[in-house]
Amino acid sequence: MNIPFLLKKGIGWIITYSVYIILFGFFAFLPFFLKNSYYIRILIFIGIYIILTLSLNLINGYAGLFSIGHAAFYGIGAYSSALLTLRLGVPFMIALPLSGIIAGIFGYLIGKPTLRLTGIFLTLATLGFNIIFVLLMINLESLTRGPLGIAGIPVPKIFSYGIQSQTGYYYLVFILVLFSLGSIYRIIHSRFGNALLAIRDEETAAEVIGVNTVHYKIAIFTISTFYAGIAGSFFAHYIRFIAPDSFTFWESFTLLAMLAMGGQGNLVGPLVGAFLLIAIPEIFRFLTDYRMIFYGLVLIFMMLFRREGLFRNRTYRLRVTPAWEKKESAPQYLIRDKFLTDDLLKEKGDGVSKG
Amino acid sequence: MTQGGIYALIALGFTIIFGTLRLVTFAHGEVFMVGAFIGYTSMKYLHGPLVFGLLSAILFSGLLGILIERIAFHFLRRAPLHSSLLITIGFSILLINLAQLIWGPETQSIPGLKYGDFKLFGVYISYTQVIVLTVAFFLLAVIRILIYKTKMGRTIRATAQDFEAAYAMGVNIDLVFMLTFALGSILGGIAGMLVGFYYNAFYPTMGTLPGLKAFSACILGGLTSLGGSVIAGFILGIIENLSVAYISSSYRDVFSFGILILVLIFKPKGLFGREV
């Protein structure tokens, strides 16, 4: 272990992850260059939808299920966070994870009976649940003030620091997005994630190998609704006013359109989809009235012409490998071996460069 | 009872489509709405009678059904099921918003649409109710004969059972798929026209809730059973009206979707369903 070796190693690391570092730096320092708080507001909404689309991606993209009522869990998160802070005086830092957990519990209750059946039943149950959720929020007036909505939700407080400015909210949602991305990445690249992919690609085979498919499906459904609840909690504290019509199934369909645009089954697609579908209607302001038409057309045309979305169903590694890190991982004659797939070779290459 | 008849019509159209194509169409409620608006337009601006309105609703909803089938199903036969579902969702969003552009978001009505009512065994029954129920039962009978007594019905049933086998037997399954989708859409369109006529109210989102309630009815009846969906439609209409009468009108929709969830949890095959 001498110094130049470590230096070379460090530079190699920086170059390898340069894309990530540049992206991180860009978004971390963006608020200093954007003077117009309207743009920051749009970015915050993009952040909320990124979390939602990522969590929907867990169900629709990775587990191969099809949920079309995701806005219900988003709404549960928002309502539980609002009620917890307003009625019970729970501080924001506890209400945020707690509302995620509450949404997760509801997700478990919906998922457990319906995931034992074939996929279409889960789809219909999520849709029905979304409708019932909105109707209940409208009708339980003593709890939610019905269609009037809940106003005056307190601002989020991190320890004793109350967030007031748009920039503060921006950083909060930035941290949440990073948290979701990181934890979802860990979930997908774990043993659990492998089991999920196996279920999605070939359910029968996975079952034969000994994967308890129903168990995994319920687990991923619960986890995914947890993230939706967190996004809802942030939404409630950001807008500081929530009403039932923010969480109708049209909202769920919007999420589906984002996922269809960006592409399912990878982590880049949802980010791009959420970004594009929020940003494009804002750029073309005169088209505001036709926003939903745009979403509908996106769904139809994406399905007709590029079913996988902009980013296909594979892992995107935004890495640049420096020249001295590149190593021949296998003898030349083995590379042509059809039984050694590309993925296997890549895995080996990574192992060598890390060690 | 009237509502039950209407739900039965929508649910039947839905079941015909699902039973044959194995595709849940989320655009069914919007076909319903388009049927209603076409009927409305032809009755209001062309001053036609109800029959004329119904005929134009049949024509346009049938054409719309064929369009949706061509785009959502025919091109994507080899694709995973999700893609077709997403396309029908896309259609549903698109149609609602197009209707808002064309006819405006506010509720519209046909002026001078007044029918009296009469008293039978101490119960007031309006003529509109009689008309709606007559048309509904007439259609149910026609569909019953069409599916079970004609050659076309036999090919449809064969395709529903096993489309590959039907194809091997020389059935033109493309045509059958198209016809079934058109047939289901026509039922939806007529139901829409009847609802609009019954309440004399036409608005772009009128199809959403009935369309989704037809889901409930289908699930309750067991997705593939035609008779089951009709009976379930009537049950749903009756339960809804009972809940309005005895509990509260604002919980009406909660009941119909609560049934959906309960059936899914406890008896996913529905009351009369076979294995899906």
Side-chain angles (χ1 to χ4, degrees):
Chain A
M1 280 286 174
N2 47 3
I3 299 299
F5 176 74
L6 276 182
L7 196 68
K8 203 174 174 187
K9 193 97 178 136
I11 293 172
W13 187 86
I14 289 176
I15 293 177
T16 311
Y17 294 98
S18 56
V19 180
Y20 293 105
I21 295 169
I22 289 170
L23 277 177
F24 178 82
F26 177 72
F27 283 107
F29 291 107
L30 197 57
F32 294 113
F33 304 108
L34 281 177
K35 290 290 163 244
N36 193 341
S37 67
Y38 170 70
Y39 291 125
I40 299 184
R41 196 182 160 79
I42 294 173
L43 282 175
I44 293 170
F45 267 103
I46 290 174
I48 296 175
Y49 279 97
I50 281 179
I51 301 175
L52 284 173
T53 322
L54 277 174
S55 79
L56 186 63
N57 185 28
L58 276 180
I59 305 178
N60 286 15
Y62 283 112
L65 304 166
F66 195 63
S67 158
I68 52 174
H70 214 57
F73 302 104
Y74 176 42
I76 287 175
Y79 266 96
S80 50
S81 183
L83 292 175
L84 280 173
T85 46
L86 264 182
R87 299 273 162 91
L88 301 179
V90 177
F92 171 74
M93 284 188 68
I94 300 174
L96 180 81
L98 207 58
S99 48
I101 291 171
I102 294 174
I105 291 172
F106 275 99
Y108 178 76
L109 291 178
I110 289 297
K112 190 164 178 11
T114 45
L115 283 171
R116 295 178 186 284
L117 311 164
T118 46
I120 192 70
F121 289 103
L122 174 82
T123 308
L124 294 177
T126 50
L127 181 67
F129 180 65
N130 198 339
I131 296 166
I132 287 185
F133 169 75
V134 171
L135 289 171
L136 281 180
M137 289 303 115
I138 290 175
N139 286 315
L140 294 174
E141 289 190 354
S142 57
L143 189 67
T144 63
R145 296 187 59 230
L148 295 174
I150 301 176
I153 300 165
V155 294
K157 261 195 169 157
I158 308 295
F159 298 111
S160 61
Y161 173 69
I163 291 176
Q164 298 286 352
S165 63
Q166 295 282 341
T167 320
Y169 279 111
Y170 175 82
Y171 280 113
L172 184 57
V173 83
F174 187 58
I175 292 167
L176 287 178
V177 167
L178 284 184
F179 161 73
S180 327
L181 254 181
S183 51
I184 288 176
Y185 180 86
R186 294 307 306 166
I187 292 173
I188 294 311
H189 293 263
S190 66
R191 199 184 151 78
F192 180 79
N194 287 340
L196 274 182
L197 297 188
I199 292 172
R200 178 192 68 190
D201 292 338
E202 194 55 65
E203 188 166 347
T204 320
E207 214 160 20
V208 169
I209 298 174
V211 180
N212 188 345
T213 55
V214 175
H215 172 82
Y216 277 99
K217 283 182 190 169
I218 296 172
I220 198 65
F221 195 77
T222 313
I223 291 171
S224 156
T225 51
F226 169 80
Y227 288 107
I230 291 217
S233 169
F234 177 81
F235 174 78
H237 288 275
Y238 174 56
I239 302 292
R240 300 177 60 197
F241 166 78
I242 49 173
D245 51 346
S246 311
F247 311 111
T248 53
F249 53 89
W250 299 116
E251 194 69 21
S252 311
F253 291 174
T254 308
L255 294 178
L256 285 174
M258 287 173 180
L259 209 52
M261 180 91 182
Q264 310 181 338
N266 61 71
L267 290 176
V268 182
L271 306 184
V272 176
F275 186 84
L276 286 180
L277 286 201
I278 299 284
I280 290 176
E282 294 292 344
I283 294 168
F284 302 99
R285 283 306 290 187
F286 55 95
L287 289 177
T288 322
D289 295 344
Y290 310 109
R291 175 188 278 245
M292 286 311 277
I293 293 188
F294 171 65
Y295 289 163
L297 284 177
V298 162
L299 270 178
I300 295 175
F301 280 100
M302 288 311 284
M303 284 304 116
L304 280 183
F305 299 115
R306 200 174 161 93
R307 218 173 296 136
E308 304 93 344
L310 290 178
F311 290 87
R312 278 167 200 277
N313 184 1
R314 49 172 275 235
T315 310
Y316 286 88
R317 289 191 180 164
L318 306 175
R319 282 184 197 172
V320 187
T321 315
W324 63 87
E325 295 272 355
K326 273 181 189 153
K327 276 171 192 158
E328 206 63 67
S329 54
Q332 204 61 45
Y333 66 88
L334 268 183
I335 291 179
R336 300 195 180 276
D337 195 328
K338 64 180 175 180
F339 294 109
L340 268 178
T341 58
D342 284 350
D343 276 352
L344 198 63
L345 283 178
K346 260 183 215 152
E347 290 287 330
K348 274 193 176 170
D350 275 359
V352 170
S353 65
K354 265 176 206 159
Chain B
M1 191 69 183
T2 323
Q3 235 163 13
I6 286 161
Y7 287 149
L9 273 187
I10 315 174
L12 183 64
F14 192 82
T15 314
I16 289 178
I17 293 175
F18 182 83
T20 317
L21 282 78
R22 292 282 181 271
L23 168 70
V24 175
T25 160
F26 290 101
H28 203 62
E30 279 57 52
V31 173
F32 169 97
M33 178 270 298
V34 169
F37 264 106
I38 294 292
Y40 157 79
T41 313
S42 57
M43 277 176 80
K44 186 174 178 185
Y45 296 104
L46 304 175
H47 304 289
L50 177 65
V51 179
F52 181 62
L54 280 177
L55 284 179
S56 50
I58 289 175
L59 185 68
F60 274 88
S61 54
L63 286 178
L64 187 64
I66 290 175
L67 180 75
I68 295 178
E69 193 271 338
R70 284 287 104 172
I71 292 179
F73 188 71
H74 186 71
F75 289 148
L76 295 176
R77 180 98 49 80
R78 305 258 171 271
L81 189 65
H82 297 176
S83 321
S84 299
L85 288 180
L86 278 176
I87 281 207
T88 59
I89 289 177
F91 263 110
S92 129
I93 300 174
L94 195 64
L95 286 174
I96 284 194
N97 287 281
L98 281 181
Q100 268 178 4
L101 279 185
I102 298 172
W103 286 289
E106 60 278 337
T107 305
Q108 325 218 355
S109 56
I110 304 172
L113 194 70
K114 269 258 184 313
Y115 291 83
D117 44 36
F118 61 94
K119 207 174 170 188
L120 187 71
F121 306 123
V123 182
Y124 281 102
I125 300 170
S126 67
Y127 283 105
T128 45
Q129 279 176 332
V130 175
I131 293 173
V132 169
L133 270 183
T134 318
V135 175
F137 275 114
F138 174 71
L139 279 174
L140 294 180
V142 166
I143 293 296
R144 163 102 201 164
I145 294 168
L146 198 65
I147 298 280
Y148 288 102
K149 295 281 188 279
T150 62
K151 187 154 181 280
M152 188 185 126
R154 194 181 303 156
T155 51
I156 288 180
R157 276 182 294 145
T159 316
Q161 270 182 8
D162 189 342
F163 72 90
E164 277 171 345
Y167 184 64
M169 290 295 144
V171 175
N172 183 353
I173 54 171
D174 271 349
L175 191 67
V176 171
F177 282 144
M178 204 164 85
L179 279 178
T180 7
F181 211 105
L183 193 66
S185 301
I186 285 172
L187 284 177
I190 292 177
M193 185 53 215
L194 288 179
V195 168
F197 166 77
Y198 182 54
Y199 296 108
N200 200 2
F202 300 86
Y203 47 98
T205 51
M206 66 187 288
T208 316
L209 270 183
L212 295 173
K213 278 178 195 163
F215 275 149
S216 295
C218 285
I219 301 262
L220 183 64
L223 276 172
T224 48
S225 152
L226 294 185
S229 69
V230 171
I231 296 170
F234 278 106
I235 293 177
L236 198 67
I238 292 168
I239 289 181
E240 266 196 7
N241 285 319
L242 285 182
S243 72
V244 170
Y246 291 105
I247 301 168
S248 156
S249 63
S250 54
Y251 280 96
R252 192 179 83 176
D253 300 333
V254 178
F255 267 91
S256 32
F257 293 108
I259 290 176
L260 168 70
I261 300 270
L262 287 181
V263 171
L264 281 178
I265 290 175
F266 293 111
K267 200 167 187 317
K269 280 182 206 161
L271 295 178
F272 312 95
R274 288 174 284 124
E275 202 71 47
V276 179

